[in-house]
Amino acid sequence: MTAQTSQDIIIAGVGGQGILTICAIIGGAALNHGLHVKQSEVHGMAVRGGAVVSHLRLSSGSIASDLIPLGAAHIILSMEPMEALRYLPYARRDAVLVTNRNPVRTVAAYPDEKLIEARLKEWPHHVLLDAEKMARQAGTVRAVNSVILGAASAFLMIPEADMRSYLERFFERKGRDVVDKNLAAFDMGRVMAK
Amino acid sequence: MKTNLWLGDEAIAQAAIDAGISGVFAYPGTPSTEITEYIQQSAEAQERGIRARWSCNEKTAMEAALGMSFAGKRAVVCMKHVGLNVASDAFINSAITGANGGLVVVAADDPSMHSSQNEQDSRFYGSFAQIPFFEPSSQQEAYDIVLAAFDVSERHGVPILVRLTTRMAHSRADVVRRVDRPREQKPVKFPSDSRRFVLLPAIARRNYAELLGKTRNFEEESEHSAFNVLEEGGDHSVGIIACGIAANYVREVYGSKIPHPMFRLVQYPLPRRRLAKLMQACKAVIVFEDGYPLVEELLRGVGGAPCAVKGRLDGTLPRAGELDPHNVARALGLVSQPAVEAPPEIVPRPPMLCPGCPHANMFDYLREAIAGSPGARVFSDIGCYTLGALPPYEAINSCVDMGASITMAKGAAEAGVHPAIAVIGDSTFTHSGITGLLDVVEDRTAVTVIISDNLTTGMTGGQNSPATGRLEQICAGLGVEPTHLHIIEPLPSNHQSNVALLKRELEYKGPSVIISRRPCIQTGKRSG
Ligand SMILES: Cc1ncc(C[n+]2csc(CCOP(=O)(O)OP(=O)(O)O)c2C)c(N)n1
Ligand code: SF4
């Protein structure tokens, strides 16, 4: 891969899944690493269980738009399989698609899960994770976001060490145990993505 | 200097603190809520004793801020766009009284209606009040403008309006704070003219003449404003006029170099001379603005503009909805399309009530209670319970503006609708339901009011609700008869008795109030 000077990342999921936490950790780590950051978030009505998306843009130079243009995202990061597909129009053809494969079925007619999974696997460069199971193995189901972050870190322009140390800082207030479980979840996600 | 990854809202909040405000006055509303929340949580603001509690509604907020300005101190007022409708009486008249201490009003618009019932454009309120207003094009500029706006307000003696959109309010970018610590707050200092704020016709006429006299200065300032920037470009077949964040989309779609001249419009009233000069130099201009085509319409006039004017009115851009890199690229004749489409299996995922939400039980009772009354209509209001419009509940017939449930039910009852039912949340009730209920009591109208009291302002993230602990006293005080004032607990186990009670009250041909009370489960989680 050629050295990129910028990365556009779509972060998707369902309101309440902690999309903003993922953004805050990648964005914070990027800023510490000396990158410019723009990050468009969703607050308000959709957060009540609706489809939620953040546009996160990292660059060594200045960034113009808060929103990622269609067909421009390098990474699609999703907490939910159908939500990963919803934002494919934002993806470049060579984008990496990293998603949790545990569906949130709280819609009237959730599509056939096998079909969704097949669609995800059609994408040339995909990483599908059973993030819930992995988080439980890491010690807490609440570390799902850290699994996804770990998997994403394999593709981010931010060094792994910076990501880990920012993750550590982010969870510091909650005690050593929480930090360790999240780091373990992060490492498991990263291994799966390699 | 340290850079911060701030939301537009947060940049504005910090700038207001840094400008030496003594108070923020606000009622929550997406996408403006985070401004006030930032100040509430700021250690610096707390140390300085900056008042920051939520107001009952936008009008009370605006008036309190005007009172603080009267006393010579700096104040900021924050609201979503429709909040400015509620505050508009105070807002428009504050331009006539003028400001003493610096007064800045921040209105956050929601083009594309992500969380709102319309996409009205607050810049019209700026023109309406005939005061200077700003629309920042970046988070850094939002900070810089608000930091400067209090000085502008004091220099001209008028309030200043800052208009944001959802994208600006809810996007983070690196922002540099311009001062090390907040400026000192102002001491109490009354207006030098003791009659300024007494808008008797004779005084109001004089004040208004003064305001009209100042508009020349406002225009001159816009002409020379460092925020209004012309970026040269060689290709004059088209000139670009980009309002607020639109400039970023133009920059995005061209990459490094924009071939056309681009005027970045941030400060209003319109800098007419500079825009006319651009129009004379170009064959056509395209106006990129979020919201309504305010600038475009002005530049078109009634024809006879120095060059062709394109934008939302001629189909160059969609007439409604927010700007984005896609529609901006298309308007400039550039290619923009997705590499792939989303697969067809995907279904929409609208927001919904949280599992276990107390409103859900209330709707269950209500649906059952009116099942045998085809003439029943439910007038609802704005809050999480508006989601009762969607399946599986489909339980409401209206949602218009805050407080409209009780008053619309009243008018419908007076037209012969029975049962006429109002469903309103606790925060919306204190925002603007109380006066409506007084109308109902006064006229003894046959309206059943259900106050779905979750003890918080749920929709906007769980701010405190001033009704908490005094709702039944308020209703009793308004004159609701004790025999028709009930409190129920919306739990599945109380289903039958609650449905029976509702049915009884629906038959009653006078005002009745049922308070359905159980805490929002999200608020419980947060404090737990
Ligand atoms: C004039 C106006 N101000 C603010 C809002 C934003 N807003 C929508 S719902 C809501 C809160 C409603 O709270 P409540 O009535 O207690 O219902 P809950 O969401 O808690 O169910 C607010 C502040 C609005 N739509 N209109
Ligand atoms: S936030 Fe509270 S009031 Fe709103 S839907 Fe969820 S539980 Fe109900």
Side-chain angles (χ1 to χ4, degrees):
Chain A
M1 228 163 51
T2 53
Q4 257 164 8
T5 55
S6 69
Q7 258 181 352
D8 287 342
I9 309 159
I10 291 282
I11 304 177
V14 178
Q17 282 192 313
I19 306 298
L20 292 185
T21 305
I22 295 187
C23 288
I25 292 171
I26 302 180
L31 205 66
N32 277 359
H33 187 57
L35 294 171
H36 291 267
V37 178
K38 276 205 174 184
Q39 174 183 320
S40 183
E41 305 178 353
V42 174
H43 300 251
M45 194 147 177
V47 174
R48 302 267 155 278
V52 171
V53 64
S54 275
H55 293 219
L56 179 59
R57 314 193 73 188
L58 316 177
S59 179
S60 47
S62 66
I63 303 166
S65 162
D66 296 290
L67 294 173
I68 298 172
L70 294 174
H74 302 89
I75 304 176
I76 303 265
L77 206 59
S78 180
M79 296 294 290
E80 206 275 349
M82 177 172 76
E83 296 310 317
L85 295 173
R86 191 185 300 283
Y87 303 101
L88 282 187
Y90 286 99
R92 294 155 55 108
R93 274 189 198 284
D94 61 356
V96 193
L97 189 160
V98 178
T99 184
N100 184 5
R101 64 179 355 150
N102 308 124
V104 178
R105 289 191 206 79
T106 49
V107 288
Y110 195 90
D112 180 3
E113 276 171 43
K114 289 206 191 75
L115 192 59
I116 294 289
E117 183 115 351
R119 290 288 193 194
L120 290 167
K121 286 179 176 161
E122 277 168 25
W123 191 258
H125 195 173
H126 62 265
V127 179
L128 308 189
L129 304 151
D130 189 340
E132 262 172 49
K133 191 166 143 204
M134 291 165 72
R136 236 177 274 117
Q137 282 166 4
T140 167
V141 72
R142 301 181 76 160
V144 167
N145 295 5
S146 297
V147 174
I148 298 290
L149 272 168
S153 74
F155 309 102
L156 288 170
M157 63 193 289
I158 308 162
E160 180 191 1
D162 289 24
M163 284 292 293
R164 285 183 108 253
S165 71
Y166 199 82
L167 190 80
E168 208 166 334
R169 238 179 68 189
F170 193 88
F171 287 107
E172 219 165 39
R173 285 177 296 122
K174 301 195 173 167
R176 195 62 231 174
D177 182 52
V178 174
V179 171
D180 287 341
K181 284 174 177 162
N182 278 285
L183 284 175
F186 180 92
D187 292 338
M188 287 168 74
R190 187 168 171 101
V191 168
M192 283 291 286
K194 287 264 163 163
Chain B
M1 226 172 207
K2 183 177 175 300
T3 46
N4 306 277
L5 194 53
W6 276 334
L7 295 175
D9 277 352
E10 294 172 344
I12 284 174
Q14 186 63 53
I17 295 170
D18 288 348
I21 55 164
S22 297
V24 56
F25 298 86
Y27 180 73
T30 312
S32 70
T33 311
E34 291 78 10
I35 305 173
T36 307
E37 287 183 336
Y38 181 97
I39 299 175
Q40 288 171 342
Q41 285 152 21
S42 153
E44 274 172 332
Q46 285 162 11
E47 271 161 32
R48 271 149 234 267
I50 295 175
R51 75 78 58 202
R53 286 174 57 86
W54 293 107
S55 303
C56 261
N57 66 39
E58 294 85 354
K59 179 173 182 284
T60 65
M62 179 72 220
E63 290 157 351
L66 186 60
M68 188 171 267
S69 167
F70 174 95
K73 299 196 176 202
R74 294 183 161 188
V76 66
V77 199
C78 314
M79 59 194 78
K80 71 181 289 165
H81 57 346
V82 288
L84 195 45
N85 297 337
V86 176
S88 61
D89 199 3
F91 172 71
I92 299 291
N93 284 308
S94 72
I96 312 293
T97 62
N100 184 33
L103 179 57
V104 174
V105 181
V106 182
D109 293 357
D110 190 17
S112 284
M113 307 181 220
H114 299 280
S115 295
S116 309
Q117 65 274 47
N118 73 30
E119 59 172 27
Q120 65 182 62
D121 186 331
S122 295
R123 292 177 303 167
F124 282 88
Y125 271 114
S127 299
F128 192 11
Q130 305 183 80
I131 56 173
F133 57 102
F134 295 83
E135 181 183 11
S137 72
S138 68
Q139 289 76 359
Q140 181 69 58
E141 202 169 64
Y143 176 95
D144 294 343
I145 283 171
V146 171
L147 190 64
F150 291 91
D151 296 331
V152 179
S153 169
E154 283 164 11
R155 186 165 70 242
H156 293 304
V158 292
I160 302 296
L161 178 69
V162 176
R163 184 244 189 168
L164 306 176
T165 56
T166 301
R167 284 305 155 199
M168 168 56 63
H170 283 170
S171 291
R172 290 179 192 279
D174 15 320
V175 179
V176 178
R177 201 175 157 186
R178 305 290 190 192
V179 296
D180 291 329
R181 79 183 109 88
R183 294 181 185 145
E184 289 305 314
Q185 290 181 40
K186 303 259 166 174
V188 169
K189 183 167 179 285
F190 294 120
S192 51
D193 168 4
S194 65
R195 298 186 354 135
R196 258 230 82 82
F197 282 76
V198 186
L199 294 185
L200 277 169
I203 302 168
R205 272 181 225 117
R206 185 207 63 188
N207 284 5
Y208 185 50
E210 269 179 34
L211 175 65
L212 294 179
K214 289 176 191 170
T215 53
R216 281 285 303 273
N217 306 342
F218 303 159
E219 280 161 19
E220 276 314 302
E221 257 186 46
S222 277
E223 294 284 355
H224 299 105
S225 167
F227 293 115
N228 290 335
V229 181
L230 176 69
E231 296 176 15
E232 288 300 346
D235 181 351
H236 285 69
S237 59
V238 167
I240 294 166
I241 296 169
C243 307
I245 57 172
N248 306 338
Y249 299 137
V250 176
R251 212 180 300 291
E252 180 74 34
V253 302
Y254 277 121
S256 51
K257 183 92 189 85
I258 303 171
H260 305 285
M262 175 165 82
F263 192 90
R264 283 199 278 129
L265 181 54
V266 168
Q267 181 170 350
Y268 298 74
L270 225 52
R272 286 169 196 270
R273 289 201 304 276
R274 290 177 73 188
L275 290 173
K277 209 166 144 202
L278 176 69
M279 290 170 83
Q280 276 146 14
C282 296
K283 279 216 185 74
V285 288
I286 307 182
V287 185
F288 293 96
E289 52 193 325
D290 261 317
Y292 295 176
L294 177 139
V295 173
E296 187 183 346
E297 208 139 30
L298 286 169
L299 296 187
R300 275 172 191 273
V302 287
C307 73
V309 179
K310 299 180 180 186
R312 290 187 184 268
L313 291 171
D314 69 342
T316 300
L317 286 160
R319 182 66 177 76
E322 65 181 330
L323 299 173
D324 60 28
H326 178 64
N327 55 33
V328 168
R330 293 248 164 136
L332 290 164
L334 303 171
V335 182
S336 168
Q337 61 189 36
V340 292
E341 299 294 337
E345 298 80 40
I346 296 173
V347 295
R349 191 190 287 276
M352 55 178 199
L353 294 175
C354 306
C357 171
H359 297 316
N361 300 96
M362 181 274 297
F363 281 126
D364 285 340
Y365 308 149
L366 182 58
R367 266 164 43 116
E368 195 170 324
I370 62 174
S373 320
R377 287 296 178 271
V378 180
F379 300 89
S380 188
D381 227 299
I382 306 195
C384 285
Y385 48 92
T386 312
L387 297 171
L390 305 176
Y393 308 102
E394 299 181 270
I396 68 173
N397 302 111
S398 78
C399 156
V400 181
D401 65 85
M402 289 189 81
S405 55
I406 300 178
T407 32
M408 280 185 70
K410 178 177 195 294
E414 286 164 340
V417 173
H418 186 80
I421 302 147
V423 172
I424 186 169
D426 49 316
S427 182
T428 302
F429 181 71
T430 44
H431 179 285
S432 49
I434 295 177
T435 46
L437 183 56
L438 189 56
D439 274 349
V440 169
V441 169
E442 186 65 15
D443 287 353
R444 303 205 46 74
T445 323
V447 170
T448 307
V449 178
I450 299 173
I451 306 180
S452 201
D453 181 10
N454 58 3
L455 304 155
T456 190
T457 315
M459 177 101 274
T460 45
Q463 295 77 17
N464 78 302
S465 165
T468 304
R470 52 174 82 97
L471 204 45
E472 47 274 44
Q473 287 95 314
I474 293 174
C475 295
L478 292 172
V480 177
E481 301 270 342
T483 45
H484 295 286
L485 177 55
H486 306 275
I487 300 171
I488 63 172
E489 193 180 8
L491 286 171
S493 50
N494 299 338
H495 188 96
Q496 280 191 332
S497 57
N498 286 343
V499 172
L501 176 89
L502 250 174
K503 276 190 173 158
R504 241 186 1 255
E505 286 305 331
L506 292 180
E507 273 162 30
Y508 174 60
K509 295 281 173 58
S512 64
V513 174
I514 295 161
I515 300 170
S516 175
R517 177 176 294 150
R518 180 157 71 76
C520 160
I521 57 166
Q522 297 292 353
T523 316
K525 270 192 209 156
R526 254 193 309 276
S527 52

